[in-house]
Structure formats: structure tokens, C-alpha cells
Amino acid sequence: MRIVVARRLSQAFFLLVFLWFCVVATVGDALWQLRGWPINWLLSLDPLTAVATLLSTGTLFAPLVWGLAVLALTLFIGRFFCGFVCPLGTLNQLTGYLARRRATTEARVADNAPSRAQGIKYVLLAFFLAAAALGSLQTGLLDPLPLVFRSVNLAVLPLVDPGRLGIHGEGRFSDGAWVLGLIFLAILAGNLWRPRFFCRFLCPAGALMGLATRLVPWRIGKADAKACGTCRRCEAFCEGACRPSGEITVSECVLCLNCLDACPTGRIGFAPRPSACGERALPDFSRRGAVFTLAAGALAAPLWRVGGASALGRDPALIRPPGSLDEARFLARCIRCGQCMRVCPSAVVQPAVTVAGAAGLWTPALNYRLGRAGCLQNCVACGQVCPTAAIRPFSLEEKLGRGDFAAVGPLRLGTAFVDRTRCLPWAMGRPCIVCQEVCPVSPKAIGVVTVFEPVAGGAVSVTDARGAALTLAGAPATGRNLGSGDYFLRPLGLPDTAAVRVVSLAGVALTLEKPLPDLGQGRKAEIVVRLQQPHVDPARCVGCGMCEHECPVSGLRAIRVTSENESRSGPGRMLA
């Protein structure tokens, strides 16, 4: 078997594995659902994630040992991960191939010429590692594996399956999905200009593995320095723009092995010796710029902390998923892969666009309006799929505060607050009890106080009273359905008299649930509405957001959850 055929088979295998893991990240026990599939396996192979989280936390999450193993193997044979494994690299290579099927050899050689711009990814790597060393993990913005998982799960899959193919059960919405989709499209479109555009110029993981190849014993190179003609087929099909026919840039070789397959003379090989035509370790780029960027990365984390975005200045609307670490440790671990967002059955975990600040872009945050419901009480999925334990694994007993966790209490995401200026019973005199009814906590965290208030236009004169059947002098001009069960009648001027429910109103004929004492012919009465005004008990509220999601007030909800009293910030954080 030709070596490039083996490489293509490997790329196809890992691309299919990646797509399969995206599809099966749905809670359920069917074959095509989660049911134990290792959907984080590819993410755990990422060496940049392993190194960056090691720098930002000082510890290595056990599954990320795979990433260090990949980096260790890179030290011996080069960037095999880029050429044989990376699904984003495969998509980039496939796009570039399709765009150049009819290109001439001269055009291909021109596209694959080495460029100083290939040094940009090393500058980006310096920025990300410096920021990580000071506690701010930002690699997920451009790390290829988190990027491709995030893009496909949050933008591509919802587009492919708007709810009819059964992948999601029903259509899903993600905050800022159009931005994620456009970035992904731009990355693929970049291959129209240069093959493997992202891999060559922007990929920080490729830069890390490129640095690891500086002393690699096995590498691509020429066996002798003699002229080998002018075909330049090796450069025409080189995916890394590393110039295999001349002085090769070792760090840029992605082990596509096209040069081995294309060389008609067999002078190019993969062997434990330097290339006879010379080598250079890295592409040309500005060392001054790299040092400046390194300093910028080192300053980024302290500057974000000075801004207070993760402490007192944190947006109270930022609600993290249950099991999340405190904000500083969370940002030191989250790689923005979107796995928790994809697996959430209620789609309430969303990418943060502005609510988490610049340091928290695309990290998971709960959005009770965009999801299908609040945070489900019997769900622990997000904590089981996080590849870096930014959301630590937790049990259902811990989430609900039962069994061994009864003394600690349930995991709290925040607390619901009633906005009395928008709440229907409080602000508009309209009956509503939705938030209290949907509260899943037992005993309920939302109670109601019942009051009776006169309805505008509800004063009536009784011309005849026969038991519960009354005849009015004129129909009340309330504009409401008085037979809905929330409207009552009581004698006018006697607010302490018990009101009786109105059963129906037809013209001037009004029927009550039972006869109303102290109401006879010629008496005046008034229609009153029973209002059940909600009150939240912060000791019971866990911030699940069911009340906010179901609140009938469109736009800004009349009951909203904010992060006060969240468990991850420690107990008793309701007050500053």
C-alpha cells in the first residue's frame, strides 16, 4: 500500500470518528446516542490542551496524559498528528485539494512556497502559553480540536438537523452561532488562497508540535544534494510549505508524505538523518514581534484581573453550569470545546458572547431564554463530558443535596429574583402563577401571597338577586373574561367581606359560585381579581431557571436568575 493511501485512510478514519462523536453527544441510551461513547477521546489527544492546562493549573487532568503522549511521539517522528489525525487538518486538506484539482504544477508550487507569515502561529502560541502560565487559558480560541468541535456542534449540526433528523430531537439554538459558523467557513475558505491555510499560519497546536520537531531524529529529507531535475512535484503537493526539494523547514512538515509519493527519482525519504540539501528549524519570523507578543500574553491575565471581571466586577447574569469550579479556576481550565453545550438536553448551556467578558468568550453560561427549559433536576450530563474538569463530575445525589450531601445541600446555580415592575400580578393586576407552578424544588422555592384588588370598571349595581344569580343594571366594562376563575364579587365599600367567585357573565346576568351575603337588590358591588403574588425563598431556590424560562412575559422576563448564592463561590454569598 502506498504511504499516502495509508495516510488518507487514517485521515478518513479520524474524521469519521470525529463526526460520529459529534452526532452521538446526545443524552440517551440508543446506539447513536451518548450511552458511554468516549466522545472526549480526540480532545484528550490534543497536546496543546495538555501543556496549556498544565501551565494554567499546575496539574494535569488524567485523561490529558494522551496529549503529552502525542507530544512525546512528535519528538521522534514529527507532526504525525497534523498529517494523520487532526480532523480540522483533514477538512482543510480536502478543501484545498478540491480547489486545486485543475491547477498547474507552477500554480501549485507558487501556492506552496514558504512564507514569513507561517511564523504567525508561533507568535500566537507564545501569547497563549504566556497567558496560560499566569492563569488565563485562551488556547481554545484557536486550538484546532476545540475549535472544530465547537464549530460543528454549535453551528453546523443545528444547520444540518433543524429538528427533523433526530440528532437533537428538535431544533437547537446557540447564542452567537452565526459568528462561529462564519469563522469556521472563513477557515475553510482560506484554503482557496493557500492549502492548509489555518494549519500553516494560525494553528498554535501545530506551532507547538513544530517546536517539538527541532531535534526530531526521523524526518523528511533528501538522501543526496545532487540536482534532481526541475519537476518540483514534491513542492507542488507539499501541504506544509516546507520546501522539501531544497533547504527544508523541518517544523513546517506536516507529514503529508506527498513528496515521497510524488518524487519520480526516489531521492526524498523519511529517514533518521538530516536532509542532504540542508535544514532550518523554524520559518523566518520577527523575533522582536514574538518577544512583544510573549509579553502581551503575560500581561493579559493580570490586566483581566485588574478589570475585576472575574471578581467583584463579574456580571451577575453569568450563570455557570452545575459543578463548575469557581470563576478563576474555571477560566484556567475551560478550553471552549462546547461539549457541555452540545450534550445539554435542554440546550440551556450556551456559549458566552459578552456576559463573561473577553476572558470568557465562548465559555459555557446558562441562558434560560434560549434553552428549551431550565437546568433539568435529574441531569448531570455536562459534568460527565467536560474534557478538562472545568465542570467537575458530580452525582445526582450531590446535585439534589440528598444522601451523603444532605448536610451540604443542593448545588446552587444562583437565585431567582422577582421584578415587581414587570410581574403580571405585581405590576399589571393580571392573574399569573406560572413561576410557582413550574418550580421543580420540593418544597417549592416560590410561594405566593394572595390579595384581592378591585378591577378597573368593575363597579356594578345589582337590580335583582335570586340566590347566586344576579341581574346587573349594566354589564361591567372590565374587558376581561370574568368567568376564568380569578374574578370575584364583593359588596362595594366592604373590603373585609369575603368575596365570592364569579362563575359566568352573560350580558347583565351574572352567576356566582354561591349566594353572597349582604348583597341584595339595589346594592352596589365591585368585581375584584385574585392575585397570587410570587415571593422567592432564597434558602430553597437553586437557580435552575425553570421559572425564568416559563415566565409568560416576553422579552425581559419578570423573574430572572442571577448568580447570587451560587455554590461554586462558597456558601452565604447572597450579600456582598
Side-chain angles (χ1 to χ4, degrees):
M1 180 185 293
R2 292 161 53 200
I3 188 65
V4 292
V5 174
R7 187 256 299 159
R8 289 168 186 161
L9 289 175
S10 173
Q11 288 180 297
F13 169 76
F14 283 102
L15 180 60
L16 290 175
V17 168
F18 159 71
L19 294 174
W20 179 249
F21 285 167
C22 289
V23 169
V24 301
T26 301
V27 173
D29 56 5
L31 178 63
W32 53 272
Q33 293 177 323
L34 195 54
R35 61 171 301 177
W37 287 104
I39 62 172
N40 285 332
W41 179 60
L42 282 175
L43 285 166
S44 65
L45 295 177
D46 189 340
L48 181 58
T49 295
V51 171
T53 54
L54 183 61
L55 287 173
S56 61
T57 66
T59 60
L60 182 66
F61 189 46
L64 299 181
V65 171
W66 285 99
L68 293 185
V70 169
L71 191 60
L73 190 55
T74 305
L75 293 171
F76 291 94
I77 62 173
R79 293 170 59 179
F80 75 98
F81 185 87
C82 304
F84 284 74
V85 179
C86 181
L88 183 56
T90 300
L91 291 173
N92 284 328
Q93 187 166 336
L94 179 61
T95 310
Y97 164 76
L98 294 175
R100 290 171 179 79
R101 283 183 302 168
R102 301 181 187 279
T104 63
T105 299
E106 291 74 15
R108 290 174 180 270
V109 170
D111 285 344
N112 293 332
S115 167
R116 284 176 60 87
Q118 290 173 252
I120 293 175
K121 60 179 177 290
Y122 296 93
V123 176
L124 291 172
L125 176 67
F127 176 86
F128 288 136
L129 293 185
L134 293 176
S136 181
L137 186 63
Q138 301 295 323
T139 55
L141 296 174
L142 287 178
D143 195 346
L145 286 177
L147 188 154
V148 72
F149 268 95
R150 179 175 66 235
S151 302
V152 171
N153 279 330
L154 303 183
V156 178
L157 273 185
L159 195 64
V160 173
D161 177 23
R164 290 188 288 270
L165 300 181
I167 297 177
H168 300 111
E170 57 183 274
R172 291 176 74 104
F173 304 97
S174 295
D175 197 8
W178 67 276
V179 177
L180 298 174
L182 285 180
I183 291 174
F184 187 59
L185 188 62
I187 288 173
L188 295 182
N191 299 299
L192 304 180
W193 179 59
R194 288 290 186 273
R196 282 204 176 219
F197 169 83
F198 178 84
C199 310
R200 289 184 185 180
F201 304 116
L202 299 176
C203 181
L208 177 65
M209 288 182 276
L211 290 176
T213 62
R214 295 198 62 172
L215 301 176
V216 63
W218 286 79
R219 78 281 303 266
I220 292 290
K222 294 181 68 174
D224 58 65
K226 296 179 182 177
C228 56
T230 58
C231 74
R232 304 186 73 181
R233 289 179 57 82
C234 56
E235 293 188 11
F237 295 96
C238 176
E239 293 290 332
C242 60
R243 190 184 288 157
S245 68
E247 184 184 38
I248 187 171
T249 308
V250 178
S251 63
E252 297 305 291
C253 177
V254 296
L255 282 187
C256 67
L257 304 179
N258 284 340
C259 53
L260 269 71
D261 187 68
C263 181
T265 63
R267 284 190 170 89
I268 295 181
F270 184 68
R273 52 170 168 66
S275 175
C277 286
E279 297 178 345
R280 66 170 57 216
L282 297 171
D284 290 331
F285 62 93
S286 169
R287 267 59 175 177
R288 184 180 300 175
V291 172
F292 176 79
T293 308
L294 187 69
L299 285 174
L303 286 174
W304 282 324
R305 280 194 285 271
V306 169
S310 62
L312 294 178
R314 184 155 63 94
D315 190 333
L318 175 61
I319 312 291
R320 294 296 190 190
S324 297
L325 304 179
D326 62 77
E327 190 64 10
R329 290 194 296 156
F330 182 86
L331 292 179
R333 284 186 174 274
C334 180
I335 58 173
R336 302 157 169 81
C337 61
Q339 293 289 73
C340 55
M341 308 170 201
R342 170 67 182 88
V343 79
C344 179
S346 60
V348 71
V349 184
Q350 294 282 329
V353 179
T354 60
V355 72
L361 179 64
W362 295 331
T363 55
L366 271 58
N367 185 325
Y368 298 117
R369 287 187 56 196
L370 209 50
R372 299 170 183 163
C375 182
L376 301 179
Q377 289 286 286
N378 60 347
C379 178
V380 296
C382 55
Q384 309 304 313
V385 302
C386 181
T388 60
I391 306 173
R392 60 178 176 79
F394 58 93
S395 66
L396 192 58
E397 281 194 339
E398 181 182 2
K399 183 176 183 180
L400 300 178
R402 296 174 181 171
D404 295 339
F405 301 92
V408 181
L411 291 179
R412 301 178 189 278
L413 310 180
T415 304
F417 289 83
V418 178
D419 186 344
R420 296 187 180 185
T421 65
R422 299 179 65 82
C423 178
L424 296 180
W426 281 103
M428 303 178 187
R430 296 281 180 171
C432 179
I433 196 175
V434 171
C435 58
Q436 194 269 346
E437 288 181 334
V438 300
C439 178
V441 179
S442 179
K444 288 183 179 291
I446 301 178
V448 295
V449 173
T450 302
V451 298
F452 291 87
E453 292 186 354
V455 176
V460 296
S461 296
V462 179
T463 58
D464 187 27
R466 299 183 180 180
L470 307 180
T471 302
L472 308 180
T478 60
R480 304 188 188 189
N481 176 16
L482 299 184
S484 64
D486 289 305
Y487 294 92
F488 294 71
L489 189 74
R490 71 184 179 192
L492 187 64
L494 298 175
D496 295 331
T497 302
V500 176
R501 177 181 282 113
V502 175
V503 175
S504 64
L505 174 67
V508 295
L510 186 145
T511 304
L512 301 177
E513 188 177 43
K514 61 183 181 180
L516 179 63
D518 303 324
L519 188 64
Q521 186 174 356
R523 290 293 305 271
K524 292 186 178 298
E526 61 179 351
I527 304 293
V528 295
V529 61
R530 182 188 61 181
L531 300 175
Q532 295 169 291
Q533 297 169 334
H535 293 258
V536 178
D537 182 353
R540 293 176 179 169
C541 181
V542 296
C544 68
M546 288 291 183
C547 52
E548 180 174 341
H549 180 268
E550 297 297 336
C551 178
V553 177
S554 62
L556 184 64
R557 297 294 198 259
I559 184 167
R560 301 186 292 277
V561 178
T562 52
S563 61
E564 287 85 357
N565 211 23
E566 60 180 358
S567 298
R568 69 192 188 111
S569 296
R573 295 301 303 270
M574 174 65 77
L575 303 177

